[in-house]
Amino acid sequence: MRLLAPFALATALLVTSCSSTDGDASPAASSATSSSPAATSPEPAPAEAEESAAAALDPTAVTSPDEAALASAMRVADLPEGWDVQSNPVEDGDLSDNPSFEGLCETSFPSEARRTAKFPVVAVDETGSPQLTSESISYDGADAAAQALAELRTAFAGCESADRTFVTPPSSEGLTADSVVVQYQLSTGTPQVIVAQARGTVVSVVIGDDPDATLSAARSIAARMAQLPAAVIGA
């Protein structure tokens, strides 16, 4: 299985093409076509360890906000049959130079400074091709997670571009109470969907070209987020 670029690179399309016209690649494809060694290397032990830890973590039994975010990370059970996941652990857990949303649609995200952990995961299909990109993020307070989604709404409100047309998004039914669902169509005709949702200190984001697969994964994650102890995540 290939290593893919972090979630921040998946948003590069929106970072650059809101002011240019050369961003027709999908978020997942942008990551997959990276020429870095990481794009073709076998999956390392830290990634396998994080995947195993996330898959085994009972959301009802978490004891910290960071653990709650790990329990909310995308896992195989969230995906169509035959698909797999690939974790991209943050080296040493250092988020100082590892943005999640900063620069998206040329917008500043002050909430980035209040992140405490994040768990990027890519979903690949039966052929090993990346289909979904995701992050599960922990913040130092529920207000910071809510702030991140508010900043995301502001960013998308000003992100129209010549190579992108925003369309009516899919229903947010089955997601958390605080959620953002955006769908747009590239000039190539390719649809893209971004689903962000928050509960307490945890934010989950899923990006994909297939609206059904993207929403299905997000709803499965939402069901797990609903099981997180309110006292642990400040919900």
Side-chain angles (χ1 to χ4, degrees):
M1 190 179 297
R2 295 170 296 171
L3 269 183
L4 302 175
F7 176 80
L9 292 186
T11 62
L13 169 69
L14 292 174
V15 174
T16 59
S17 65
C18 283
S19 58
S20 66
T21 58
D22 58 356
D24 285 344
S26 72
S30 296
S31 298
T33 55
S34 169
S35 60
S36 68
T40 55
S41 301
E43 190 169 20
E48 293 180 346
E50 187 165 287
E51 289 166 17
S52 297
L57 195 54
D58 179 353
T60 66
V62 299
T63 58
S64 71
D66 288 1
E67 200 173 45
L70 179 58
S72 303
M74 190 163 60
R75 54 179 72 173
V76 172
D78 302 323
L79 306 173
E81 185 175 356
W83 288 23
D84 203 352
V85 294
Q86 179 184 301
S87 294
N88 290 290
V90 177
E91 187 173 0
D92 299 324
D94 183 6
L95 300 180
S96 59
D97 194 31
N98 198 323
S100 293
F101 300 125
E102 184 63 35
L104 178 66
C105 294
E106 300 182 328
T107 301
S108 177
F109 284 76
S111 59
E112 293 279 273
R114 298 186 61 184
R115 296 172 303 153
T116 60
K118 71 172 187 175
F119 303 96
V121 179
V122 171
V124 296
D125 63 16
E126 300 91 331
T127 69
S129 298
Q131 298 297 328
L132 304 175
T133 305
S134 73
E135 268 194 16
S136 184
I137 310 164
S138 176
Y139 292 80
D140 63 11
D143 62 320
Q147 178 185 344
L149 261 64
E151 292 166 352
L152 196 59
R153 292 184 183 97
T154 298
F156 284 129
C159 203
E160 287 286 353
S161 173
D163 65 347
R164 175 180 304 100
T165 302
F166 282 84
V167 299
T168 302
S171 169
S172 61
E173 182 179 359
L175 302 177
T176 64
D178 188 5
S179 62
V180 177
V181 183
V182 175
Q183 181 170 341
Y184 51 90
Q185 184 167 302
L186 299 177
S187 58
T188 58
T190 302
Q192 291 186 342
V193 178
I194 300 178
V195 181
Q197 54 187 329
R199 180 169 181 257
T201 57
V202 177
V203 168
S204 166
V205 189
V206 182
I207 299 176
D209 291 349
D210 183 331
D212 290 338
T214 306
L215 265 294
S216 178
R219 287 169 179 146
S220 181
I221 292 169
R224 204 156 55 250
M225 292 173 72
Q227 299 179 61
L228 299 172
V232 173
I233 60 172

